[in-house]
Amino acid sequence: MFISSNKFLNTLKKKYGIKKMGFSGTLDPFACGNLIIASGQYTKLFRFLDKTPKTYIATLMLGAYSPSLDIEKIETIKSVEKIDEEKIKEVLNSFLGKQKQLPPKYSAKKINGVRAYKLDDEKDFLDKEIEIEIFDIKLINYSHPFITFQASVSEGTFIRTLGYDIAKKLGFEGALTYLERTKEGKFQYECEKPLNPLEFLKIPQNFYLNDPKNLILGKKLDIKDFEIQKSGIYYVKYDNYFAIIEIGENVKYILNRIGLC
């Protein structure tokens, strides 16, 4: 907690002596938990990974006002009356499903190509609601004025905003005091664990039935040489590599000669 995703990445670069590394899905500085990191050519795979739903555990403090919606910028704390636990569960359940959400003003979300926290025009910010989905949400603990809940959400959902909206629906200000990302699709927090990317791709495998040297050399490929000829994006293993291809009217490479683990 309390280090940026970039700072954490830099510590890993130094630790492993790797210059090219990247991460998928920035964690807020006050948050902790799951962060998917890739090095070298694997940084190109982020968009093909199965990272949904994302699961978080969060603690919301009722009565706390923070413009950043979290513990980093709390300005005021007011005493609030205790709430019936069933009422909290009812409010949490009301957030299930597809809905629109406004990104926090203090966030790295790009709006018209500009980070939200750099926007001067409040209207530019308020007009940019995003489509999200809450797949599951449940109360873990209520120790007044702290509500701890778990939520599984679509990619791009802001849990800080969700916490604020929960507090608002209960009739109070609210800010997160704790946030942990426990899962991203099949990825889950297990310290620094190396992974085989093929086990986490959201695209199906296809099989090339001709000479694998054609793939190694990046030659033009014929649709008839693939086991699956239906239009779509696939990964194909060959020799000590794999490729990501797209089948349409013809076959084109998206990525090629990515080394197998």
Side-chain angles (χ1 to χ4, degrees):
M1 293 179 70
F2 298 112
I3 62 170
S4 69
S5 297
N6 274 315
K7 185 174 181 180
F8 181 72
L9 183 69
N10 288 332
T11 64
L12 291 185
K13 285 181 178 180
K14 292 176 183 177
K15 179 177 180 179
Y16 294 108
I18 299 173
K19 290 184 178 180
K20 186 179 180 182
M21 294 183 87
F23 59 81
S24 172
T26 304
L27 272 175
D28 293 327
F30 89 103
C32 63
N34 203 73
L35 187 68
I36 304 168
I37 292 173
S39 63
Q41 59 189 340
Y42 295 112
T43 57
K44 299 175 182 178
L45 294 176
F46 286 139
R47 65 191 175 110
F48 301 107
L49 299 177
D50 186 2
K51 300 177 288 182
T52 301
K54 295 177 184 283
T55 302
Y56 296 84
I57 292 174
T59 298
L60 170 67
M61 183 180 184
L62 299 177
Y65 169 71
S66 167
S68 63
L69 311 183
D70 61 46
I71 198 172
E72 289 197 283
K73 292 184 180 292
I74 288 181
E75 294 182 357
T76 61
I77 298 175
K78 293 180 180 179
S79 178
V80 298
E81 65 269 20
K82 196 170 183 179
I83 311 167
D84 182 72
E85 199 167 293
E86 290 305 313
K87 173 65 176 177
I88 296 172
K89 291 178 181 178
E90 181 184 319
V91 167
L92 291 178
N93 287 334
S94 72
F95 284 91
L96 285 169
K98 293 181 180 179
Q99 59 206 268
K100 289 187 176 181
Q101 185 188 69
L102 195 65
K105 182 73 171 70
Y106 289 87
S107 77
K109 175 75 175 176
K110 282 190 175 181
I111 297 172
N112 296 329
V114 181
R115 301 291 184 189
Y117 61 83
K118 291 183 178 179
L119 285 176
D120 294 323
D121 190 340
E122 193 72 18
K123 187 177 184 300
D124 286 341
F125 175 71
L126 293 173
D127 284 347
K128 298 301 175 181
E129 287 186 319
I130 55 175
E131 292 281 347
I132 65 160
E133 185 170 1
I134 310 295
F135 302 108
D136 184 56
I137 187 166
K138 63 183 180 182
L139 179 67
I140 293 178
N141 185 60
Y142 175 43
S143 181
H144 189 72
F146 298 99
I147 296 172
T148 299
F149 64 94
Q150 178 178 292
S152 294
V153 303
S154 59
E155 202 163 354
T157 302
F158 285 92
I159 306 300
R160 283 181 290 152
T161 299
L162 178 59
Y164 174 82
D165 290 341
I166 290 168
K168 187 177 180 181
K169 209 162 189 178
L170 288 168
F172 309 109
E173 295 282 4
L176 294 190
T177 58
Y178 180 79
L179 180 61
E180 178 182 356
R181 185 161 63 198
T182 58
K183 287 184 180 181
E184 294 182 77
K186 291 190 287 184
F187 295 89
Q188 61 183 13
Y189 177 61
E190 296 177 287
C191 296
E192 292 171 29
K193 180 180 178 181
L195 305 168
N196 179 354
L198 294 184
E199 296 175 5
F200 296 87
L201 295 177
K202 62 182 176 183
I203 55 177
Q205 183 177 8
N206 206 335
F207 297 89
Y208 185 64
L209 307 177
N210 206 326
D211 189 345
K213 286 184 180 178
N214 293 333
L215 284 157
I216 293 171
L217 297 173
K219 290 186 176 181
K220 187 176 180 180
L221 305 173
D222 193 319
I223 294 174
K224 295 177 182 177
D225 290 330
F226 287 89
E227 184 175 289
I228 303 171
Q229 297 173 17
K230 183 180 178 181
S231 295
I233 297 175
Y234 305 90
Y235 76 90
V236 182
K237 289 198 297 182
Y238 62 95
D239 199 41
N240 293 318
Y241 304 97
F242 70 96
I244 294 178
I245 58 143
E246 183 174 7
I247 293 179
E249 292 182 2
N250 48 38
V251 182
K252 68 177 182 179
Y253 297 97
I254 297 177
L255 296 172
N256 195 18
R257 295 197 60 161
I258 305 170
L260 289 168
C261 290

